[in-house]
């Protein structure tokens, strides 16, 4: 099972990007899904996640108000719309599927709850 992330690129500060992540090898709608990022020399940070039903989402403080996660189960795709990008958002962004279906909670998300990862897509924000 593998996730395919896309949509990264280079953008100026204040710009927008939409990341996509898709997979076809499992029943998408049974799983919580998440987006993480990792900047050079730093640990992997949970950014946003969405429950299997789509009815609950979580966003980190760094993402709140600027990033929106959504899912389209008919396309087996999860999205991360990123607006008002800052140079500090420069990272490799990873999508992931929660182990045993659940990993997205109202209070947060942990990479330890996610077992299947995409290959990452690089986002570079210049000032």
């Amino acid at each position: 099972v593998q996730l395919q992330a896309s949509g990264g690129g280079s953008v100026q500060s204040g710009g927008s990007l939409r990341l996509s992540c898709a997979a076809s090898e499992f029943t998408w709608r049974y799983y919580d899904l998440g987006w993480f990022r990792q900047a050079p020399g730093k640990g992997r940070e949970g950014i946003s996640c969405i429950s299997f039903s789509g009815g609950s989402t979580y966003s980190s403080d760094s993402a709140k108000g600027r990033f929106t996660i959504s899912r389209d189960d008919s396309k087996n795709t999860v999205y991360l719309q990123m607006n008002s990008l800052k140079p500090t958002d420069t990272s490799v962004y990873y999508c992931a599927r929660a182990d045993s279906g659940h990993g997205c909670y109202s209070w947060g998300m942990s990479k330890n709850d996610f077992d299947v990862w995409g290959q990452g897509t690089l986002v570079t924000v210049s000032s």
Side-chain angles (χ1 to χ4, degrees):
V1 177
Q2 191 171 12
L3 306 180
Q4 297 291 335
S6 62
S10 297
V11 64
Q12 290 192 326
S13 182
S16 298
L17 285 173
R18 188 175 82 155
L19 306 183
S20 300
C21 176
S24 58
E25 296 92 348
F26 61 92
T27 306
W28 196 253
R29 67 181 184 273
Y30 294 155
Y31 293 88
D32 293 355
L33 303 166
W35 285 97
F36 295 77
R37 69 184 182 187
Q38 188 165 14
K42 295 189 177 181
R44 193 162 295 190
E45 172 192 9
I47 294 299
S48 190
C49 62
I50 187 166
S51 65
F52 66 95
S53 68
S56 178
T57 62
Y58 163 81
S59 291
S60 67
D61 288 343
S62 59
K64 205 167 294 183
R66 300 187 300 127
F67 297 179
T68 302
I69 190 170
S70 61
R71 63 189 296 161
D72 185 343
D73 291 345
S74 68
K75 297 180 179 179
N76 274 16
T77 303
V78 61
Y79 304 97
L80 186 68
Q81 177 67 44
M82 305 188 296
N83 299 326
S84 302
L85 283 161
K86 306 173 183 178
T88 51
D89 294 318
T90 296
S91 287
V92 177
Y93 284 72
Y94 299 89
C95 57
R97 183 195 80 173
D99 187 18
S100 302
H102 301 293
C104 186
Y105 306 99
S106 59
W107 47 263
M109 58 193 290
S110 169
K111 62 181 183 293
N112 295 327
D113 290 330
F114 290 78
D115 65 335
V116 178
W117 294 81
Q119 82 286 6
T121 185
L122 177 63
V123 172
T124 303
V125 185
S126 58
S127 57

